[in-house]
Amino acid sequence: MGGDSAGAGMIVSILVTLRDQGLPPPAGAILISPWVDLTHSFPSVAGDSPLDYVPAHGFLHKPSTSWPPPNCDDMRELEDHARGQRHGNAERPSHGHISLDEKVAKPETSSHAESAISGAAAPSLSNEPSIILDGEMIRIKDQIQIYTTNELVSHPLVSPILQPSLGGLPPLLVMTGGGEMLRDEQIYLAHKAANPPKYPPSETCLNENLQARETLARYQGTDVQLQVWEDLCHVAPTLSFTRPAKYMYRSIAQFGAWALARAQKTEIEIMYDDDDDISIISSGSESDAASATSAWKTRTAPALSSIQQQESITQIGKAGDPLPAFRNHMLRERVDRHGHIFPLAAPSELPALQLAPSEIGMIKEGPVRKWMHAKREWDIKFAREKRQVQKQRAKELAAGYELFGDGERPPPSALAARRRKDMPKEEKVKRSWGMSLWSLWGSSHDREILEREEKAHREPAKVLITPSHGGANEPPSKRAADRSRSRRRTVTDMGQTEHQSTEVLASALVPVESDTKHSKVGGSTSGVVSTSTKVEQ
């Protein structure tokens, strides 16, 4: 399974659900910039992230049917307004706050914006979130995340960083942008999964939930490959035409092939491509890449110790290349934009891992202040549009919404809660030419590989006359086998998660000279293509 951002967070919740229900897990999961803490309780969210495209205050959307969803005060006003329309009474009861007409004539002031803020200083599913700022209790009523209501941001299935344990899951690849705003929660996620006892929930959670303590003790650590890519933004593989994205996709392919072979406990055959010409921007040959690597080592050698120089030669692999051995359920890697792998800083040096368990899931002052400031500007800029949306909602509420049966009432943030009885069919979505061109450009290399592979299979066997055969034709079957072997690779699990030492793993990768290029591992033909370069990796 795989996902990015909110999708990656959903993948974690799915994996936890499968684990807790005793259902078979997938072979593994690839989590690209996972968004796993909707309470924004980690330090990197409060700081500045100039290398990320995600705004410091989060995304604020223009008013529409989807956003912003009505808060509790809006719902009371809308219901009163709709009730007055149904009874022909223009006068609407006042609840001690700005009425609908007053909001139309006068946008929310700063003081009202502050009183309309909704957030949680402590994880809670029943109480309206609040936080103390400058000695004043601030209740956050307006929904912060379009993803869910404020009351649910601290639910463990919404923010899986708050799960009692992330152990017992299939192998994970966690890819983090070193310059992204959400990097701390992703780093914490990887370490929490690999070592659940070291990163437990708060004592309050454990004392109030006996099942949480049982879950924490039940599952062993999850095997995690954590890659922090220097200076990259949120979900960097989206920029698929860049060289760093190319290396990220290679790493994804390498992990995915290994995870599939490991789960099936057998070798698998995959198609691979040894062409480095990924796109117009990142085009180049393998020799060019090797030359760049060599020049880079020469420039940096004086500044590196002998140990660092030895470590810095490691390079991102491709599908079929063996992964290193996991240590303490982890591969902790820092990767630069050229695909060079360095060891990640020690846990004691990472700010994300210094938070006490009681601090996880607690909304902090920094993110709230950023959001408040942006919210004030939003209220002024979009006052007219918001008025129009509210008027339309009042009309729809007066006409009535479709119901879902007894006890089924979706929250106001859900469009399903506002399905009109006379709602017309959804209009056909117009094609986005910009996205189409982006997709066409980004997929051109994949198309070339598939066409080249198809052409190779269509080609008839060539007749080769050689003196060694005395003028005889070379058997077509041998020619076909040679061509196939140059484009396919066999992958197998080599015990990387058995926590063996690096020396043992390296000895298993020593090339064996044979006609088939296969080596015996664990009594079976592994088919892993072994070279001296891969042994070094």
Side-chain angles (χ1 to χ4, degrees):
M1 305 183 75
D4 64 76
S5 195
M10 295 172 72
I11 293 296
V12 177
S13 293
I14 291 173
L15 295 178
V16 169
T17 302
L18 292 174
R19 179 198 69 185
D20 294 345
Q21 296 295 325
L23 298 174
I30 296 162
L31 310 177
I32 304 172
S33 296
W35 186 25
V36 290
D37 177 27
L38 273 68
T39 66
H40 291 327
S41 60
F42 283 87
S44 60
V45 180
D48 295 326
S49 300
L51 300 176
D52 202 3
Y53 57 82
V54 178
H57 50 71
F59 292 106
L60 291 175
H61 310 274
K62 185 177 180 180
S64 66
T65 307
S66 305
W67 186 263
N71 59 33
C72 57
D73 292 342
D74 292 334
M75 286 301 297
R76 282 196 295 264
E77 289 189 11
L78 290 171
E79 290 172 358
D80 292 344
H81 183 38
R83 192 180 302 112
Q85 283 188 338
R86 285 194 295 267
H87 293 87
N89 181 11
E91 184 177 353
R92 293 177 294 282
S94 172
H95 292 284
H97 55 272
I98 298 177
S99 68
L100 188 64
D101 286 341
E102 289 172 331
K103 284 185 179 178
V104 170
K106 178 183 177 182
E108 292 177 337
T109 61
S110 297
S111 59
H112 179 71
E114 291 186 12
S115 66
I117 294 179
S118 162
S124 172
L125 299 180
S126 56
N127 300 324
E128 195 172 66
S130 60
I131 188 171
I132 297 178
L133 295 179
D134 301 326
E136 181 182 359
M137 177 66 72
I138 303 296
R139 293 172 56 222
I140 311 175
K141 298 178 181 178
D142 289 340
Q143 187 167 316
I144 297 177
Q145 310 286 8
I146 197 171
Y147 185 78
T148 188
T149 59
N150 294 337
E151 290 77 11
L152 285 176
V153 293
S154 57
H155 192 290
L157 290 177
V158 174
S159 294
I161 202 72
L162 298 174
Q163 285 286 342
S165 172
L166 293 175
L169 304 181
L172 305 177
L173 169 60
V174 180
M175 309 187 86
T176 298
E180 68 171 294
M181 185 172 65
L182 304 179
R183 62 185 178 275
D184 279 353
E185 63 195 68
Q186 299 161 18
I187 293 172
Y188 190 91
L189 170 82
H191 288 80
K192 179 182 176 74
N195 193 349
K198 190 173 181 179
Y199 303 97
S202 65
E203 277 299 321
T204 302
C205 176
L206 292 174
N207 293 333
E208 293 179 353
N209 187 350
L210 297 179
Q211 188 176 0
R213 195 178 294 275
E214 180 183 342
T215 301
L216 182 63
R218 180 186 306 170
Y219 299 107
Q220 294 184 347
T222 299
D223 295 309
V224 183
Q225 181 181 10
L226 171 62
Q227 293 183 336
V228 180
W229 293 74
E230 290 182 350
D231 301 334
L232 293 192
C233 61
H234 187 62
V235 194
T238 304
L239 307 175
S240 55
F241 52 83
T242 63
R243 182 167 288 275
K246 176 196 69 174
Y247 287 121
M248 296 182 91
Y249 279 119
R250 284 184 175 179
S251 190
I252 289 170
Q254 181 187 23
F255 176 87
W258 166 79
L260 287 170
R262 176 182 180 274
Q264 298 177 62
K265 299 180 180 179
T266 185
E267 59 188 30
I268 62 172
E269 189 179 67
I270 61 170
M271 185 178 74
Y272 77 100
D273 176 47
D274 57 2
D275 183 8
D276 194 51
D277 187 11
I278 291 298
S279 70
I280 296 174
I281 291 181
S282 63
S283 62
S285 64
E286 288 291 347
S287 59
D288 292 339
S291 299
T293 300
S294 178
W296 174 84
K297 291 177 188 175
T298 303
R299 292 196 308 269
T300 57
L304 298 176
S305 66
S306 58
I307 296 179
Q308 288 175 320
Q309 291 182 42
Q310 183 66 27
E311 291 171 334
S312 67
I313 64 173
T314 308
Q315 185 81 10
I316 287 293
K318 294 183 179 180
D321 290 348
L323 287 174
F326 286 69
R327 296 180 180 178
N328 299 321
H329 295 285
M330 290 198 79
L331 288 175
R332 304 175 70 257
E333 300 172 336
R334 176 173 59 88
V335 191
D336 69 9
R337 61 190 180 91
H338 302 289
H340 303 119
I341 301 177
F342 303 86
L344 188 63
S348 59
E349 300 176 20
L350 298 175
L353 305 182
Q354 310 313 311
L355 266 67
S358 58
E359 290 291 312
I360 309 299
M362 299 278 288
I363 285 184
K364 303 300 193 301
E365 178 180 337
V368 171
R369 288 191 182 277
K370 290 180 182 179
W371 187 84
M372 285 174 57
H373 178 74
K375 180 67 170 58
R376 293 190 195 103
E377 295 183 351
W378 185 94
D379 288 334
I380 296 173
K381 182 177 180 180
F382 295 116
R384 184 180 299 275
E385 289 85 350
K386 183 176 180 181
R387 174 193 64 190
Q388 294 172 348
V389 169
Q390 286 182 315
K391 279 188 174 181
Q392 181 63 28
R393 285 178 180 163
K395 292 179 181 179
E396 295 173 359
L397 189 61
Y401 292 123
E402 286 191 6
L403 303 178
F404 289 83
D406 296 337
E408 287 288 339
R409 187 174 182 180
S413 58
L415 293 181
R418 302 196 296 275
R419 291 204 318 164
R420 304 194 311 272
K421 294 180 179 179
D422 59 343
M423 180 175 287
K425 291 185 178 180
E426 185 177 355
E427 296 180 3
K428 186 177 180 180
V429 178
K430 294 181 179 179
R431 182 176 181 179
S432 170
W433 289 103
M435 292 301 295
S436 297
L437 291 174
W438 179 285
S439 177
L440 184 65
W441 188 23
S443 62
S444 60
H445 180 69
D446 298 333
R447 217 166 35 249
E448 291 173 3
I449 295 176
L450 294 175
E451 290 172 356
R452 190 163 63 242
E453 183 70 13
E454 184 179 354
K455 180 180 178 181
H457 284 293
R458 282 201 313 263
E459 285 180 354
K462 296 180 180 179
V463 177
L464 181 64
I465 307 298
T466 62
S468 61
H469 289 88
N473 296 339
E474 184 176 351
S477 59
K478 185 176 187 303
R479 298 285 299 166
D482 287 345
R483 185 175 69 243
S484 175
R485 187 167 63 241
S486 68
R487 298 180 185 279
R488 295 186 178 275
R489 176 174 290 181
T490 304
V491 185
T492 188
D493 175 34
M494 306 185 72
Q496 283 91 336
T497 58
E498 300 302 324
H499 315 300
Q500 55 186 325
S501 67
T502 306
E503 291 76 17
V504 173
L505 180 63
S507 65
L509 297 177
V510 174
V512 177
E513 294 297 333
S514 68
D515 182 57
T516 60
K517 301 293 185 182
H518 285 187
S519 58
K520 288 283 187 176
V521 179
S524 64
T525 304
S526 71
V528 174
V529 179
S530 300
T531 66
S532 59
T533 303
K534 297 181 183 65
V535 171
E536 289 177 2
Q537 291 176 0

